[in-house]
């Protein structure tokens, strides 16, 4: 009568062998005295304790257990299966397969607990636990049945796919963390290679795509900032943020010096701060490649560079059309000049420089040298253009001042010409006095002939005669 409570105490105290001995004794009692109602009730209570024992053993597998403890638990489960089965011969193979499934499911619960850790701790815990579970399974079930190997292969494949999906879902903030994750993943893959599950070939493309996304994020942010700056300045009618008054002094730099200095940016871009910040964002993305660079990225980076340049030109052309539209308020002239200057700078200097910088970051110094030589030649030509533009602007200003002065003189002459007729209309004629304006000696003095009038008269071979307005 005390067998059920005794078995329960053994289960709570982790005395598995004693509990199994009681379960086995209950089967013997049932065979000898199965017709006795008291014995039958005791056996039923012991069978209930067997379910609790199985649940307790499976729960132990869901925790951190060593290899000897794991072997003890599995041995107890095997013996419990044989006790629970009346025909152990026909039930043994199915029971072993069920036991393997129970083992992997319980260890999966323990493995999933590592996913609640931080990312890099999770990588380390996941690697250690997967390798430990696979090692324990091989040590316990490998020699038991032939069906254990396919089951372990399916479980390993599923856990590797879960690990790769975790890597895809994670967002890396910089290349340093991405490189650390890459090294941890490669170590995990090579460790699994000892079990015939090396998945290193699957990591290359995954981390290359992550690295490309990280680099292009800098480029996209730079383009967005550049577009917003142009839009804000255009809407506000302010051109001062788009141009700089810094005097740029450059020295002649050979292509070899440029390569030795890692392709320094053109200093002429300092005259256009938004464009300089755009180039800086591009270079910031390239700097991330120093820590982690994959050969499969080369073609994709060149493709994204072409898209980056095309998008830049589209933004500048759209800005140029907007500033040329009538009704632009504020510094319209300066905005138009800055728009054309930035578009020209991108096509002549920025494009070859960015292509050369990308090739230099990828290690192709020969192609980078060609692009940078082209950029330096264009930059040297651009240094000579502003002087010519300044002279032309000075000449235009002088011509504009002369034209303004001549217009003011002509306006003054026209007002002077209209003054006598206005006087004639306003002078009164008194009846009876017989005053005639022309006879009364009221005459207007002729205007002084200016140098301009003399020059015009000489050109037309006309010599002014007389003193009065009528003769003139």
């Amino acid at each position: 009568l005390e067998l059920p409570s005794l078995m329960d105490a053994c289960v709570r105290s982790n005395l598995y062998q004693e509990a199994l001995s009681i379960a086995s004794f209950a089967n013997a009692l049932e065979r000898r005295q199965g017709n006795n109602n008291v014995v039958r009730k005791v056996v039923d209570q012991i069978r209930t304790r067997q379910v609790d024992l199985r649940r307790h053993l499976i729960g132990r597998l869901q925790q951190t257990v060593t290899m000897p403890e794991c072997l003890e638990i599995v041995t107890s489960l095997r013996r419990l299966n044989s006790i629970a089965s009346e025909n152990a011969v026909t039930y043994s193979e199915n029971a072993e397969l069920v036991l393997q499934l129970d083992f992997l499911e319980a260890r999966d619960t323990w493995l999933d607990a590592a996913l609640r850790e931080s990312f890099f701790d999770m990588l380390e815990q996941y690697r250690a636990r997967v390798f430990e579970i696979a090692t324990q399974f091989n040590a316990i079930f490998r020699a038991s049945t032939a069906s254990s190997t396919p089951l372990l292969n399916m479980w390993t494949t599923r856990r590797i796919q879960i690990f790769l999906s975790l890597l895809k879902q994670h967002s890396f903030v910089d290349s340093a963390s991405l490189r650390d994750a890459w090294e941890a993943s490669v170590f995990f893959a090579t460790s699994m290679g000892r079990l015939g599950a090396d998945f290193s070939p699957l990591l290359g493309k995954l981390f290359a795509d992550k690295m490309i996304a990280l680099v292009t994020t800098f480029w996209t942010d730079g383009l967005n900032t550049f577009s917003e700056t142009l839009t804000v300045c255009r809407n506000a009618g302010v051109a001062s943020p788009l141009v700089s008054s810094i005097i740029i002094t450059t020295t002649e730099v050979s292509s070899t010096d440029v390569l030795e200095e890692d392709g320094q940016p053109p200093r002429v871009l300092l005259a256009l701060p938004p464009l300089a910040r755009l180039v800086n964002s591009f270079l910031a993305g390239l700097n991330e490649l120093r820590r982690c660079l994959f050969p499969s990225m080369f073609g994709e980076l060149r493709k994204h560079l072409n898209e980056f340049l095309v998008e830049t030109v589209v933004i500048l052309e759209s800005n140029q059309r907007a500033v040329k539209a009538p009704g632009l308020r504020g510094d319209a002239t300066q905005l138009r000049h800055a728009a054309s200057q930035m578009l020209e700078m991108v096509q002549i200097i920025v494009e070859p420089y960015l292509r050369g910088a990308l090739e230099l970051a990828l290690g192709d110094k020969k192609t980078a040298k060609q692009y940078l030589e082209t950029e330096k030649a264009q930059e040297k030509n651009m240094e000579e253009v502003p002087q010519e533009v300044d002279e032309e602007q000075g000449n235009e200003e002088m011509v504009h001042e002369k034209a303004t002065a001549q217009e003011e003189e002509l306006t003054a002459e026209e007002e002077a010409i209209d003054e006598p007729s206005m006087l004639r209309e306003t002078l009164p004629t008194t009846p009876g006095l017989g005053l005639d304006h022309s006879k009364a000696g009221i005459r207007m003095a002729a205007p002084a002939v200016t140098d301009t009038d003399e020059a015009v008269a000489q050109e037309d071979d006309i010599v002014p005669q007389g003193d009065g307005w009528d003769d003139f």
Side-chain angles (χ1 to χ4, degrees):
L1 295 177
E2 294 180 356
L3 287 179
S5 59
L6 181 60
M7 184 175 179
D8 185 65
C10 291
V11 171
R12 294 178 183 274
S13 302
N14 297 333
L15 300 175
Y16 306 129
Q17 298 302 324
E18 289 76 3
L20 291 172
S21 298
I22 295 174
S24 179
F25 179 72
N27 287 341
L29 281 178
E30 185 180 14
R31 285 192 298 269
R32 292 197 304 265
Q33 302 177 3
N35 296 327
N36 192 323
N37 294 331
V38 175
V39 172
R40 187 176 301 168
K41 291 181 180 180
V42 171
V43 171
D44 292 339
Q45 292 178 2
I46 292 175
R47 297 285 169 78
T48 305
R49 299 301 187 275
Q50 289 181 12
V51 176
D52 296 337
L53 176 60
R54 179 182 297 276
R55 188 183 301 111
H56 181 79
L57 292 173
I58 296 297
R60 284 290 308 278
L61 290 176
Q62 296 176 356
Q63 303 172 3
T64 302
V65 291
T66 61
M67 184 65 187
E69 294 174 346
C70 187
L71 184 59
E72 180 185 2
I73 293 171
V74 173
T75 303
S76 300
L77 286 171
R78 281 175 174 168
R79 186 179 174 186
L80 184 61
N81 288 336
S82 63
I83 292 174
S85 175
E86 296 181 356
N87 190 355
V89 177
T90 58
Y91 186 76
S92 60
E93 185 175 356
N94 293 333
E96 188 67 17
L97 181 59
V98 171
L99 179 58
Q100 294 176 9
L101 292 174
D102 292 340
F103 176 84
L104 292 178
E105 289 178 356
R107 301 307 280 165
D108 270 344
T109 304
W110 174 66
L111 176 58
D112 292 337
L115 303 180
R116 294 190 290 268
E117 303 289 337
S118 61
F119 181 74
F120 288 100
D121 292 339
M122 182 272 295
L123 293 181
E124 181 62 24
Q125 293 290 332
Y126 196 92
R127 177 196 63 80
R129 296 188 180 191
V130 168
F131 187 77
E132 182 178 350
I133 293 171
T135 304
Q136 292 173 351
F137 187 90
N138 275 332
I140 298 173
F141 300 103
R142 190 67 178 265
S144 60
T145 59
S147 61
S148 61
T149 301
L151 184 62
L152 179 62
N153 292 340
M154 289 187 292
W155 179 84
T156 305
T157 302
R158 183 173 64 88
R159 299 313 306 190
I160 290 175
Q161 291 296 331
I162 292 174
F163 177 76
L164 295 177
S165 64
L166 291 174
L167 292 177
K168 291 179 181 179
Q169 294 173 4
H170 184 73
S171 299
F172 296 94
V173 295
D174 54 16
S175 59
S177 60
L178 188 142
R179 181 182 179 86
D180 293 340
W182 159 257
E183 293 176 349
S185 301
V186 170
F187 182 62
F188 178 28
T190 53
S191 299
M192 295 299 294
R194 288 179 286 179
L195 300 174
D198 188 357
F199 58 96
S200 299
L202 301 177
L203 296 175
K205 186 177 185 306
L206 190 151
F207 279 93
D209 293 341
K210 286 288 184 180
M211 192 65 200
I212 291 174
L214 180 62
V215 172
T216 53
T217 298
F218 287 89
W219 300 357
T220 303
D221 294 342
L223 275 176
N224 293 335
T225 304
F226 181 67
S227 178
E228 291 175 1
T229 302
L230 295 180
T231 302
V232 170
C233 292
R234 183 175 66 247
N235 294 337
V238 179
S240 56
L242 303 180
V243 294
S244 175
S245 59
I246 298 177
I247 300 176
I248 303 170
T249 58
T250 59
T251 57
E252 185 176 357
V253 181
S254 63
S255 59
T256 305
D257 297 334
V258 170
L259 291 177
E260 290 177 355
E261 298 178 4
D262 295 334
Q264 63 178 2
R267 293 183 59 84
V268 70
L269 294 177
L270 293 176
L272 300 171
L275 204 56
R277 286 191 289 269
L278 179 63
V279 174
N280 283 340
S281 65
F282 181 86
L283 297 180
L286 293 185
N287 286 335
E288 298 295 330
L289 298 177
R290 296 182 299 174
R291 298 183 179 91
C292 194
L293 180 62
F294 301 93
S296 58
M297 297 170 52
F298 291 6
E300 289 295 325
L301 286 176
R302 294 188 179 101
K303 178 181 177 181
H304 284 287
L305 173 59
N306 293 331
E307 296 175 355
F308 176 83
L309 293 173
V310 170
E311 184 67 21
T312 303
V313 173
V314 169
I315 291 174
L316 288 174
E317 289 178 348
S318 176
N319 177 67
Q320 191 175 31
R321 289 193 298 269
V323 298
K324 286 184 177 180
L328 183 65
R329 62 180 182 177
D331 304 332
T333 304
Q334 291 83 349
L335 288 173
R336 295 187 180 101
H337 179 67
S340 60
Q341 190 176 6
M342 282 191 288
L343 182 59
E344 182 182 6
M345 191 77 70
V346 167
Q347 295 173 346
I348 296 178
I349 291 182
V350 174
E351 180 177 355
Y353 172 73
L354 295 185
R355 293 186 184 277
L358 176 60
E359 296 300 330
L360 188 62
L362 300 180
D364 190 356
K365 291 187 177 182
K366 183 178 179 180
T367 306
K369 182 178 179 181
Q370 297 175 358
Y371 282 119
L372 293 175
E373 285 178 349
T374 303
E375 178 268 323
K376 285 299 177 183
Q378 297 292 348
E379 183 180 359
K380 187 176 180 181
N381 295 333
M382 289 290 292
E383 292 176 1
E384 300 175 357
V385 171
Q387 297 179 358
E388 299 177 359
V389 172
D390 292 341
E391 294 178 358
E392 293 178 358
Q393 291 179 353
N395 295 333
E396 291 179 357
E397 291 178 357
M398 293 176 61
V399 172
H400 180 70
E401 291 177 357
K402 292 181 179 180
T404 303
Q406 291 179 1
E407 291 178 358
E408 292 177 353
E409 292 178 359
L410 291 175
T411 303
E413 292 176 359
E414 291 176 357
E415 292 177 353
I417 292 173
D418 294 337
E419 185 175 357
S421 58
M422 294 174 62
L423 289 174
R424 292 191 183 97
E425 293 176 357
T426 54
L427 286 176
T429 54
T430 304
L433 295 178
L435 291 178
D436 188 359
H437 297 163
S438 59
K439 294 180 181 180
I442 300 175
R443 298 181 61 85
M444 300 300 298
V449 180
T450 62
D451 297 337
T452 304
D453 299 334
E454 292 181 357
V456 174
Q458 290 177 1
E459 291 178 1
D460 298 337
D461 295 333
I462 299 175
V463 179
Q465 298 178 359
D467 296 331
W469 279 96
D470 298 336
D471 295 334
F472 182 78

